Amino acid sequence: MLFGNLVEYDPALLEYAVHPKLVPLVEEVVGGAVRLEETEAIINSRNPEAELGELHKCRYNPTGFHRGTQHGWGTYIEQNKFHCIFVKTLAYLTDVGPDDGGTCVIPGSHRLTWNQGEMIEAALSDDKLIYQVEASAGSVLLFAEALIHSTTAIRSDNERVILISGYTPPMLREWPGNEVSPEFIETLPEDIRPLISGSASWHWKRRY
Ligand SMILES: O=C(O)CCC(=O)C(=O)O
């Protein structure tokens, strides 16, 4: 079950998305000030129609590798540091063990300009090219969206709950469907407002 555009729904969700411990880490990867471009939550559990035996045949069961940007135009290197203009944070609200559908990623894909389909095909035929996240409830995964990643089929009886926040530089647009109402933005304290509304200005406050 996927819930989208959540930031107006509950103050706790806003508080998390703009958390002062989280945002500087995101800014470090993006390379400057950021705005929130999407918020989502996913609650998932094992597909009752999936054969458990089939799910155990593979070490990992990614259900749709993808990425939101790619190395070469969505990333840059500055002062020997890798940056990406689209960063996600995934907060795991439940413990996620090896059978609980932790996010699968293709390590290193965020720095490759190779064909995405070929990288996914290679990873699906050699599980050494895949890493599956395991986490305790409360952990946050932060990654560049140039990294190829996927939701993973659950093999256990556990439900998995995650909160997703995406960030970009302030002059970029929100993901379609994640528009935040001007009335809500009006209610926000001055310091938080640009994080939610973005900015029309191309004067980007950099980390350097
Ligand atoms: O469900 C997951 O673990 C990954 C979510 C995802 O693919 C995304 O946020 O783009």
Side-chain angles (χ1 to χ4, degrees):
M1 199 181 300
L2 175 72
F3 304 86
N5 200 4
L6 293 178
V7 74
E8 291 183 52
Y9 186 71
D10 189 286
L13 296 170
L14 171 72
E15 208 179 308
Y16 165 69
V18 301
H19 199 285
K21 277 195 178 156
L22 195 68
V23 172
L25 299 174
V26 175
E27 288 181 338
E28 181 71 30
V29 182
V30 174
V34 293
R35 60 124 356 130
L36 189 69
E37 65 72 47
E38 69 183 285
T39 46
E40 279 183 344
I42 300 178
I43 301 177
N44 53 341
S45 50
R46 180 152 53 86
N47 175 358
E49 280 158 30
E51 268 286 320
L52 203 49
E54 284 298 311
L55 288 176
H56 278 283
K57 269 190 191 157
C58 299
R59 189 156 161 223
Y60 307 115
N61 291 281
T63 59
F65 273 126
H66 63 281
R67 61 184 170 188
T69 187
Q70 64 189 71
H71 193 40
W73 62 266
T75 63
Y76 61 97
I77 311 283
E78 194 168 10
Q79 296 185 22
N80 289 324
K81 280 193 191 157
F82 173 91
H83 297 284
C84 184
I85 60 165
F86 185 5
V87 163
K88 283 251 179 91
T89 60
L90 263 62
Y92 294 92
L93 303 190
T94 48
D95 289 338
V96 175
D99 291 336
D100 301 329
T103 310
C104 274
V105 307
I106 305 180
S109 54
H110 61 299
R111 284 174 177 266
L112 295 174
T113 52
W114 300 347
N115 177 282
Q116 168 172 279
E118 287 173 11
M119 284 194 274
I120 295 172
E121 202 182 314
L124 292 177
S125 60
D126 180 357
D127 62 27
K128 288 196 293 303
L129 299 176
I130 297 178
Y131 176 81
Q132 185 181 331
V133 172
E134 289 175 33
S136 51
S139 307
V140 177
L141 171 71
L142 186 149
F143 64 95
E145 262 282 335
L147 181 72
I148 299 175
H149 59 283
S150 169
T151 302
T152 303
I154 295 180
R155 293 190 285 222
S156 69
D157 293 330
N158 298 332
E159 194 172 69
R160 185 192 74 140
V161 184
I162 62 169
L163 272 183
I164 303 171
S165 305
Y167 303 85
T168 60
M171 62 286 203
L172 299 189
R173 297 297 305 267
E174 64 282 334
W175 197 266
N178 282 269
E179 296 79 9
V180 175
S181 69
E183 297 77 27
F184 178 71
I185 290 169
E186 283 282 304
T187 66
L188 300 174
E190 286 281 320
D191 54 329
I192 287 175
R193 219 173 272 182
L195 248 167
I196 304 299
S197 65
S199 159
S201 168
W202 275 81
H203 291 288
W204 186 20
K205 194 165 161 247
R206 305 298 318 285
R207 294 283 288 175
Y208 299 99

